[in-house]
């Protein structure tokens, strides 16, 4: 992800915006999903990489939006 952010920073025009979406590692759906694919480490690494890019001044945090989306499945299959 670090290389990707470096490239975004390189090609982004001055004053340009980059929209970066990273799911929050929380919630009931995540509790089920992690039984098969635990993304805790990779999501934390992604978040840390984003924080580092902002701390270095490569990007400025314009806004941070949290939202919830509801997912329902008829069966486990």
């Amino acid at each position: 992800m670090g290389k990707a952010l470096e490239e975004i920073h390189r090609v982004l025009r001055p004053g340009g915006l980059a929209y970066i979406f990273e799911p929050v590692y929380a919630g009931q759906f995540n509790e089920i999903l992690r039984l098969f694919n635990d993304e805790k480490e990779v999501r934390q690494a992604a978040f840390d990489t984003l924080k580092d890019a902002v701390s270095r001044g490569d990007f400025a945090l314009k806004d941070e939006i949290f939202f919830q989306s509801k997912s329902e499945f008829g069966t486990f299959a």
Side-chain angles (χ1 to χ4, degrees):
M1 184 168 192
K3 293 280 187 190
L5 288 177
E6 288 174 14
E7 184 65 6
I8 292 168
H9 180 258
R10 186 184 75 79
V11 301
L12 194 64
R13 70 176 185 218
L17 297 175
Y19 174 82
I20 300 170
F21 172 83
E22 180 61 33
V24 175
Y25 185 81
Q28 294 176 346
F29 181 72
N30 186 72
E31 292 301 312
I32 294 171
L33 184 61
R34 74 186 189 116
L35 296 172
F36 305 95
N37 184 26
D38 191 348
E39 296 182 343
K40 182 177 182 177
E41 287 183 29
V42 71
R43 287 194 183 176
Q44 186 62 55
F47 186 73
D48 291 343
T49 302
L50 290 167
K51 285 192 326 187
D52 291 345
V54 171
S55 294
R56 279 193 312 271
D58 292 347
F59 298 93
L61 180 61
K62 180 169 175 23
D63 206 350
E64 191 171 22
I65 301 168
F66 294 91
F67 65 92
Q68 295 181 351
S69 63
K70 187 174 182 177
S71 298
E72 293 185 21
F73 304 92
T75 66
F76 186 74

